[in-house]
């Protein structure tokens, strides 16, 4: 019998969410409460394995008494607060943010963005064809993953995953300022000359497809990538005794990508180079 530790109980607090009483554990964010209540608040930079960065500002909501809109992903719920998620002010802000992002970067591989653009009646083309922030070609300098910064929204999740929140390799960071800010390795060198250990944990947290496995990138380029045709099987990595959980993404009887469950108590979504990329031996039919 598996025994699940209960941990230290957290006190419940109550506040008003869109006119209804909401109860969440102490320390929960407004976004946690929204999800628990079944409310669909859009977000891009938020991740369940990283500390909130408040970068994209798509999840802003209105809090009574607050001068500005607040990011639901990082603002913790407080007793008695009054939150409104679907006011005209919040919707207008989300519309502008979506327009700015969609006009400046390629969001074609970002899940649900097309749906949100339609829902908030955003019009990215009103900024004209010269609004693109970057027109760089994808950086294909290794066999494991591709960096396509034309899709990067500067959410900093990859920097955090590579840095002190998970891998502690510090291979990537933000260079430049303002409109010229971008993600790069030290001295903007090829990835093969950097401190990267190819764990791929930056890929795991990237919300837009700016970072993707080489296998996925090549299939998308060939027009054969089809997530609807893929099955997912969760197993255990056999390379060592740590017991990391793997999710194998299989298409046409071939492993096309490996991820890790974010609720796995061992990995929390993170893997090493062997677990994430070392699966070719499984399907070596030579």
């Amino acid at each position: 019998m598996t025994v699940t530790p209960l941990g230290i109980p957290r006190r419940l607090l109550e506040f008003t969410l869109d006119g209804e009483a909401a109860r969440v554990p102490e320390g929960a964010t407004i976004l946690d409460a929204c999800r628990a209540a079944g409310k669909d608040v859009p977000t891009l930079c938020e991740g369940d394995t990283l500390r909130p960065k408040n970068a994209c500002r798509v999840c802003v909501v209105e809090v009574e008494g607050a001068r500005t809109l607040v990011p639901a992903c990082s603002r913790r719920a407080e007793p008695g607060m009054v939150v409104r998620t679907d006011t005209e002010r919040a919707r207008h802000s989300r519309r502008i943010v979506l327009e700015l992002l969609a006009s400046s970067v390629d969001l074609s591989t970002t899940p649900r963005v097309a749906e949100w653009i339609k829902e908030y009646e955003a019009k990215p083309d009103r900024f004209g064809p010269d609004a693109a922030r970057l027109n760089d070609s994808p950086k294909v300098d290794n066999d494991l993953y591709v960096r396509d910064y034309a899709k990067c929204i500067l959410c900093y999740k990859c920097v955090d995953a590579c840095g002190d929140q998970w891998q502690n390799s510090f291979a990537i960071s933000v260079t430049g300022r303002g409109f010229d800010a971008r993600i790069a390795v030290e001295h903007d060198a090829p990835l093969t000359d950097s401190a990267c250990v190819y764990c791929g944990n930056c890929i795991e947290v990237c919300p837009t497809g700016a970072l993707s496995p080489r296998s996925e990138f090549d299939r998308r380029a060939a027009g054969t990538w089809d997530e609807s045709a893929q099955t997912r099987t969760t197993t255990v990595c056999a390379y060592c005794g740590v017991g990391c959980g793997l999710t194998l993404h299989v298409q046409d009887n071939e492993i096309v990508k490996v991820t890790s469950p974010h609720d796995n108590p061992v990995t929390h979504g993170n893997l090493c180079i062997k677990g994430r990329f070392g699966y070719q031996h499984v399907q070596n039919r030579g």
Side-chain angles (χ1 to χ4, degrees):
M1 182 180 68
T2 301
V3 178
T4 303
L6 296 177
I8 300 174
R10 292 192 292 171
R11 182 172 62 91
L12 292 178
L13 56 85
E14 186 170 314
F15 68 103
T16 302
L17 180 63
D18 288 336
E20 299 181 358
R23 301 183 70 197
V24 294
E26 192 173 40
T29 64
I30 295 174
L31 187 59
D32 292 332
C34 290
R35 288 172 173 169
K39 298 183 181 296
D40 184 23
V41 174
T43 181
L44 290 172
C45 72
E46 185 269 343
D48 57 355
T49 64
L50 298 168
R51 292 191 295 272
K53 201 72 174 183
N54 311 329
C56 75
R57 297 284 165 162
V58 182
C59 70
V60 290
V61 296
E62 199 165 351
V63 175
E64 190 173 282
R67 181 177 58 86
T68 62
L69 296 171
V70 302
C73 67
S74 62
R75 180 64 181 270
R76 299 197 181 278
E78 300 173 9
M81 73 182 339
V82 177
V83 178
R84 291 183 288 273
T85 67
D86 201 38
T87 64
E88 179 54 35
R89 186 184 180 195
R91 292 182 66 86
H92 177 75
S93 177
R94 292 174 193 164
R95 179 166 63 251
I96 295 297
V97 170
L98 288 169
E99 288 178 347
L100 290 171
L101 288 176
S103 66
S104 60
V105 298
D106 175 11
L107 297 181
S108 60
T109 54
T110 305
R112 299 199 61 193
V113 159
E115 171 190 339
W116 293 333
I117 288 176
K118 181 179 180 180
E119 177 183 351
Y120 292 99
E121 300 179 340
K123 297 179 174 58
D125 56 351
R126 72 186 181 94
F127 295 104
D130 298 327
R133 189 176 63 86
L134 288 175
N135 291 308
D136 292 351
S137 300
K139 295 180 183 294
V140 187
D141 53 12
N142 67 91
D143 294 331
L144 300 182
Y145 73 93
V146 175
R147 298 174 292 159
D148 187 357
Y149 291 142
K151 297 180 178 179
C152 177
I153 62 169
L154 290 175
C155 67
Y156 308 111
K157 292 172 72 174
C158 60
V159 177
D160 289 340
C162 186
D164 62 355
Q165 292 196 38
W166 284 116
Q167 193 61 28
N168 285 287
S169 291
F170 300 96
I172 52 180
S173 60
V174 180
T175 184
R177 296 175 65 85
F179 205 67
D180 293 325
R182 55 195 175 90
I183 304 296
V185 302
E186 58 267 31
H187 308 299
D188 204 19
L191 201 66
T192 50
D193 296 335
S194 74
C196 177
V197 296
Y198 298 97
C199 62
N201 293 330
C202 54
I203 301 173
E204 185 72 33
V205 300
C206 180
T208 65
L211 303 172
S212 64
R214 180 72 178 272
S215 55
E216 178 179 345
F217 178 83
D218 289 343
R219 279 180 170 264
R220 285 188 184 275
T224 59
W225 180 262
D226 185 3
E227 291 189 7
S228 64
Q230 295 174 11
T231 60
R232 299 187 180 189
T233 302
T234 299
T235 182
V236 178
C237 182
Y239 273 107
C240 71
V242 173
C244 296
L246 305 181
T247 299
L248 307 180
H249 300 244
V250 178
Q251 180 180 331
D252 300 327
N253 202 32
E254 181 179 343
I255 300 173
V256 295
K257 184 169 71 171
V258 174
T259 59
S260 180
H262 287 197
D263 59 355
N264 185 287
V266 177
T267 63
H268 301 286
N270 297 285
L271 294 171
C272 73
I273 182 175
K274 293 179 289 187
R276 193 176 303 278
F277 297 114
Y279 54 81
Q280 289 79 7
H281 67 284
V282 176
Q283 51 209 24
N284 186 355
R285 302 177 178 89

